[in-house]
Amino acid sequence: MTEHTPNLKAAKITGGVATDQRHDSAHKHVAGTAVYIDDMPEPAGTLHVGLGLSNVAHGTLKNVDLSEVRSAPGVVDVLTYADVPGENDVSPSGMHDDPVFAQGKVQFHGQPIFAVVAETREQARRAARLAKIEYEELPAIISIWDLDTEKDKQVASPLTLTRGDAAAAIAAAPRRVKGRMKLGGQDHFYLEGQISLAVPGEDDEVTVYCSTQGPSETQHLVAHVLGVPSHAVTVEVRRMGGGFGGKETQANQCAAIAAIAAKKHKRAVKVRLDRDEDMTATGKRHDFAIDYEVGFDDEGNILGVDYIFALNAGFSADLSGPVGDRALFHCDNTYFYPNVHAKSAPLYTNTVSNTAFRGFGGPQGMVGAERVIDEVAFAVGKDSLEIRKLNFYDPMGAPGDRNLTPYHQKVEDCIIQRIVAELEESADYARRRREIAAFNNNSRFIKRGMALTPVKFGISFTKTESNQAGALVHVYADGSVHMNHGGTEMGQGLHLKVAQVVAEEFQIDLDRVKITATTTAKVPNTAPTAASSGADLNGMAAQDAARQIRKRLAAFAAEKYQVPTDQVVFLPNRVRVGNQEISFNDLVKQAYLNRIQLSAAGFYKTPKIHWDRAKGRGHAFYYFAYGAACSEVSVDTLTGEYVVERADILHDTGRSLNRAIDIGQVEGGFIQGMGWLTTEELWWDGKGRLRTHAPSTYKIPLASDRPKIFNVALTDWSEAYEPTIHRSKAVGEPPLPHGMSVLHALSDAVASVADHKICPRLDAPATPERVLMAIERLRAEAAPKK
């Protein structure tokens, strides 16, 4: 021990919260040394799986002849529904409508009917093509555009939100507009496809290494399929090569198939889909048909609005019910509706079952809200930004009553006014708006457009029980720390942020904290890493665990050195005990020698939230994240081709845990949202075959598609309204809707061909073809009538 002399300039720890730290695996990603499941050394004797997929969209299975498949070189076994030892179901919704293997009928083109287990992956895939299957084809529903939301089949119960009397308000409004928007889906296009490696253990045990966002759900469903208790199944994932929601439920089928084969043959089994199989057989972002009617006054104040959000669920429920719910939760975006009626309709089609995708229906709800704003703006002849600001919720602290959402939750933390005002100034909106008008007046073929769109995103799972997390923290006798929690790493930097939280609690350098693989054997019953809640939930759980250990260390030090516990202070890499100091490592070693417990399980559940779906009321979200984006585009009116000239984003992450990581999330979210709304077009032919099933036919944004000028900033004054982890805010999903600014900038450019007199009603994705068609339609509508 040494005498302590106060040092006001004492060094800080390296890598605590609110410091810019690189992603813990960034150097491994660049060097190619990050270990994904397909990089793991295969156990001796590993078998491989190839899937046999349906080649009709809807039909009964008359005859399934697999004799040639079984006799093909290298084939060890062929699995069908009859080989499932438990229940032939991997439905996450409890609807029992999502089989591991088709049984008696197929409901979409590409549905797995059987699996080939062979010595090599090549042998398994080649053998799968030898099946002879006879179908009795049935009528297939491929799209939702012509379906009736009242009469046609829905896969889950719809949700209705109501406040006030929308119908009466619309009928009495001085002005009314009614319309429909078609909004396309999106493929996740993660770099690492669906993959699982199952390794059998003793008795009924199996370990599954799986690229999944929900290890606990995968564990429970694999156990369900095997007919064993959950304790027999361990699921582990160190990292994913992207997820974006596509591995929240869709990973379960591959995991189940690998586990069935592994237990049956007592050998390790790997399932890895190639890109075509992955895009064909796994769900996507839901496409929506959004019907709306709005009543408003001559100034542009919205008086009442009525929405129907019809979504293409695909053949089974999956998460379509909750996705439709969240679309309704965000149909207000940042706007107060005095009277509102909104209803979802998760419609059945004979396509792959759609699933979670970054934003989980929220972005689709916001796009509907922004279309309504555009309709009002064009009707009253004002800049759409003026109409947006006119209809904002009351700002935080305002005494007004314009703060109640359609689901009757008060918006208490609204800061969108300040964000928009700051972005208007930093993006020089007013000057550029004038310059764009002048440019368009003097340019015959190239037209420019600009839009500034806001975002309000609710943070929490609307499934209340999902708002919990666990963590496990060990402090070893040498002072090093082992951290494990229930969240999964898919490139978003979650593990790093949680490690920073633990380092901050112990006041030790970040490199003293070991990040380990997520496993159900250490932290049970966790929520999927989704809903942007990973850092909020797991950070709090890890903080709880670390604080338990720190409290024990403080009590031990106080007793050993005979000082009050409030005189035990954790300083950077050391601890002050009274007027003396000891290194953190030495204190830990002494605590170990005195048999002090140096391990703790932490837990956290989100407070305040509650939701009554039957009544359509509740405190659905713990808080809201905000942001705004301003984008400018140039459109060739002869071809419909366009470029994004500039994008400016100001986003709210509260007191950011790691601004470097958060800025990357905002940049990536914007680009992904822009891709969804512009170039990423899913297309099924008349027989229900997905034709955009590979990089050659499906256009994600390239590096060359990024804005020529791209300015991204985080608010430096915001903090979470509620006591979140270090008053930070979620950043996974909220930035994606910033891509709306590009869609509306394109709409603004298109509108210029008709002197901004007609709302372009530009559907998404706004491909060059769709932009060109909108231009031609507006020119025809604006032309003098003969």
Side-chain angles (χ1 to χ4, degrees):
M1 300 285 285
T2 59
E3 292 295 325
H4 173 67
T5 301
N7 180 6
L8 298 179
K9 296 183 179 180
K12 295 182 179 180
I13 63 170
T14 301
V17 298
T19 62
D20 294 351
Q21 301 295 318
R22 74 176 187 185
H23 192 290
D24 57 284
S25 296
H27 59 294
K28 300 176 188 177
H29 295 157
V30 174
T33 58
V35 177
Y36 296 90
I37 292 171
D38 208 34
D39 300 314
M40 296 170 57
E42 295 177 358
T46 295
L47 298 171
H48 298 265
V49 168
L51 295 183
L53 306 178
S54 162
N55 57 21
V56 303
H58 192 204
T60 57
L61 293 168
K62 293 179 63 178
N63 183 49
V64 180
D65 182 357
L66 302 177
S67 56
E68 290 189 31
V69 180
R70 296 182 188 278
S71 61
V75 171
V76 174
D77 197 2
V78 179
L79 305 175
T80 69
Y81 73 89
D83 296 287
V84 178
E87 189 166 347
N88 182 37
D89 177 62
V90 285
S91 169
S93 59
M95 302 287 283
H96 304 289
D97 58 356
D98 206 343
V100 180
F101 298 113
Q103 185 173 350
K105 63 179 179 179
V106 294
Q107 297 185 76
F108 73 96
H109 187 281
Q111 183 173 2
I113 300 173
F114 63 92
V116 181
V117 184
E119 297 290 347
T120 70
R121 183 169 178 268
E122 178 73 12
Q123 289 172 334
R125 297 186 70 216
R126 286 186 178 276
R129 299 170 189 166
L130 301 177
K132 296 178 180 178
I133 301 176
E134 295 180 38
Y135 306 88
E136 181 180 338
E137 289 197 55
L138 300 171
I141 304 167
I142 306 304
S143 78
I144 60 171
W145 310 129
D146 298 320
L147 297 183
D148 188 320
T149 57
E150 296 297 329
K151 297 178 181 178
D152 285 306
K153 180 180 177 180
Q154 299 187 25
V155 300
S157 60
L159 173 67
T160 300
L161 301 181
T162 303
R163 202 191 66 251
D165 190 335
I170 293 169
R175 294 174 179 241
R176 295 183 295 278
V177 172
K178 188 175 184 179
R180 162 175 275 210
M181 182 177 190
K182 293 182 178 180
L183 181 57
Q186 185 179 22
D187 191 89
H188 300 89
F189 217 94
Y190 26 61
L191 292 180
E192 177 198 34
Q194 300 287 355
I195 183 170
S196 287
L197 171 65
V199 180
E202 295 181 354
D203 303 321
D204 56 2
E205 295 173 2
V206 63
T207 298
V208 183
Y209 301 91
C210 180
S211 189
T212 176
Q213 291 173 237
S216 287
E217 181 177 89
T218 300
Q219 173 198 25
H220 297 321
L221 285 174
V222 168
H224 178 69
V225 166
L226 292 177
V228 299
S230 290
H231 68 217
V233 180
T234 298
V235 174
E236 179 174 315
V237 52
R238 172 58 182 90
R239 60 173 61 85
M240 286 169 276
F244 310 115
K247 295 173 181 175
E248 182 173 345
T249 64
Q250 301 281 294
N252 299 329
Q253 188 169 33
C254 286
I257 293 170
I260 293 168
K263 292 305 295 180
K264 182 176 181 180
H265 294 282
K266 297 180 173 54
R267 294 168 66 177
V269 175
K270 183 189 287 187
V271 178
R272 177 169 67 84
L273 304 186
D274 72 5
R275 183 65 63 181
D276 290 80
E277 291 170 332
D278 195 305
M279 293 183 74
T280 298
T282 64
K284 311 174 190 317
R285 184 188 292 280
H286 297 72
D287 40 342
F288 273 66
I290 306 171
D291 292 309
Y292 55 87
E293 186 172 11
V294 57
F296 51 99
D297 64 20
D298 293 337
E299 294 301 312
N301 292 290
I302 293 175
L303 305 176
V305 63
D306 192 349
Y307 287 110
I308 298 177
F309 285 89
L311 57 154
N312 184 349
F315 83 99
S316 68
D318 196 83
L319 296 172
S320 294
V323 167
D325 291 0
R326 191 171 274 261
L328 266 59
F329 288 134
H330 290 79
C331 72
D332 56 335
N333 195 12
T334 54
Y335 312 115
F336 173 70
Y337 300 144
N339 299 276
V340 57
H341 174 270
K343 186 175 181 179
S344 68
L347 294 166
Y348 171 92
T349 63
N350 294 113
T351 59
V352 63
S353 189
N354 288 318
T355 189
F357 199 125
R358 192 175 186 176
F360 202 79
Q364 292 96 316
M366 293 180 191
V367 169
E370 295 304 324
R371 166 57 70 84
V372 164
I373 291 292
D374 262 14
E375 290 276 23
V376 174
F378 278 95
V380 300
K382 293 184 178 181
D383 186 331
S384 58
L385 180 57
E386 186 177 345
I387 302 302
R388 290 184 171 99
K389 292 192 289 185
L390 186 66
N391 288 282
F392 280 160
Y393 280 104
D394 281 339
M396 182 169 57
D401 58 359
R402 294 171 51 86
N403 62 0
L404 201 62
T405 66
Y407 44 96
H408 297 260
Q409 176 175 338
K410 282 189 176 181
V411 180
E412 300 174 294
D413 60 0
C414 185
I415 56 174
I416 195 60
Q417 291 85 352
R418 181 171 176 181
I419 288 176
V420 167
E422 290 187 5
L423 184 62
E424 271 191 273
E425 182 178 356
S426 64
D428 210 354
Y429 181 88
R431 177 186 62 80
R432 289 168 59 203
R433 173 61 75 195
R434 293 191 297 270
E435 290 178 350
I436 287 171
F439 176 89
N440 288 344
N441 285 335
N442 295 308
S443 177
R444 185 177 178 186
F445 301 121
I446 304 298
K447 301 293 182 181
R448 289 194 171 182
M450 185 169 68
L452 193 158
T453 56
V455 164
K456 173 178 69 67
F457 199 95
I459 305 300
S460 290
F461 288 96
T462 50
K463 185 179 181 183
T464 304
E465 61 266 33
S466 293
N467 294 286
Q468 61 177 301
L472 184 64
V473 174
H474 302 318
V475 178
Y476 293 106
D478 65 351
S480 62
V481 176
H482 170 113
M483 175 201 76
N484 196 274
H485 59 87
T488 56
E489 176 62 48
M490 61 194 97
Q492 83 280 36
L494 173 61
H495 282 345
L496 173 62
K497 284 185 174 182
V498 177
Q500 287 180 268
V501 169
V502 172
E504 187 75 23
E505 288 304 313
F506 289 126
Q507 282 294 293
I508 58 176
D509 292 337
L510 183 62
D511 62 8
R512 299 290 292 166
V513 181
K514 181 69 173 178
I515 297 170
T516 57
T518 305
T519 171
T520 58
K522 290 184 178 179
V523 179
N525 306 320
T526 58
T529 304
S532 304
S533 61
D536 282 11
L537 294 175
N538 296 288
M540 281 291 206
Q543 184 184 66
D544 176 47
R547 284 182 174 179
Q548 292 177 49
I549 299 170
R550 195 176 78 172
K551 185 177 180 180
R552 294 179 201 139
L553 287 172
F556 163 71
E559 181 180 2
K560 180 177 176 64
Y561 296 103
Q562 296 298 296
V563 300
T565 53
D566 62 2
Q567 290 187 23
V568 179
V569 181
F570 285 75
L571 300 171
N573 295 304
R574 64 196 193 281
V575 183
R576 182 193 303 158
V577 185
N579 63 352
Q580 305 175 85
E581 286 187 3
I582 183 174
S583 73
F584 178 81
N585 293 354
D586 285 346
L587 178 61
V588 167
K589 185 174 182 180
Q590 290 180 25
Y592 163 72
L593 294 173
N594 283 270
R595 298 182 292 177
I596 302 301
Q597 185 182 3
L598 297 174
S599 176
F603 182 77
Y604 175 75
K605 62 179 180 179
T606 310
K608 290 191 175 184
I609 56 174
H610 56 88
W611 170 241
D612 187 328
R613 191 174 188 272
K615 294 180 179 178
R617 292 173 176 243
H619 195 93
F621 301 113
Y622 190 37
Y623 65 88
F624 297 97
Y626 296 87
C630 180
S631 292
E632 181 179 344
V633 300
S634 293
V635 175
D636 185 336
T637 60
L638 296 179
T639 66
E641 295 178 294
Y642 49 80
V643 294
V644 182
E645 300 286 351
R646 176 174 170 176
D648 296 79
I649 301 172
L650 179 60
H651 194 78
D652 160 38
T653 57
R655 293 182 183 174
S656 172
L657 295 174
N658 187 324
R659 292 176 70 88
I661 292 292
D662 287 352
I663 286 174
Q665 286 290 289
V666 175
E667 292 171 341
F670 170 81
I671 295 297
Q672 192 170 43
M674 179 185 77
W676 163 48
L677 294 170
T678 58
T679 65
E680 296 185 44
E681 185 172 32
L682 296 167
W683 192 79
W684 282 265
D685 66 17
K687 294 186 177 181
R689 296 174 294 188
L690 179 66
R691 292 303 197 179
T692 49
H693 55 79
S696 57
T697 52
Y698 184 80
K699 188 184 185 320
I700 62 170
L702 305 176
S704 56
D705 294 317
R706 69 182 293 278
K708 293 180 181 178
I709 301 172
F710 196 14
N711 301 315
V712 176
L714 305 180
T715 55
D716 57 7
W717 44 265
S718 171
E719 65 175 42
Y721 181 76
E722 299 288 356
T724 60
I725 185 72
H726 291 279
R727 295 284 181 171
S728 64
K729 286 191 177 184
V731 72
E733 294 169 313
L736 185 137
H738 289 318
M740 295 187 302
S741 61
V742 176
L743 176 65
H744 287 273
L746 289 170
S747 180
D748 184 55
V750 170
S752 69
V753 305
D755 199 24
H756 291 89
K757 301 295 185 184
I758 305 169
C759 182
R761 294 191 170 184
L762 185 60
D763 289 335
T767 59
E769 295 88 346
R770 194 163 279 126
V771 168
L772 182 60
M773 287 188 286
I775 290 168
E776 295 300 325
R777 176 170 49 80
L778 256 63
R779 281 179 171 153
E781 290 183 33
K785 300 297 186 284
K786 295 182 180 179

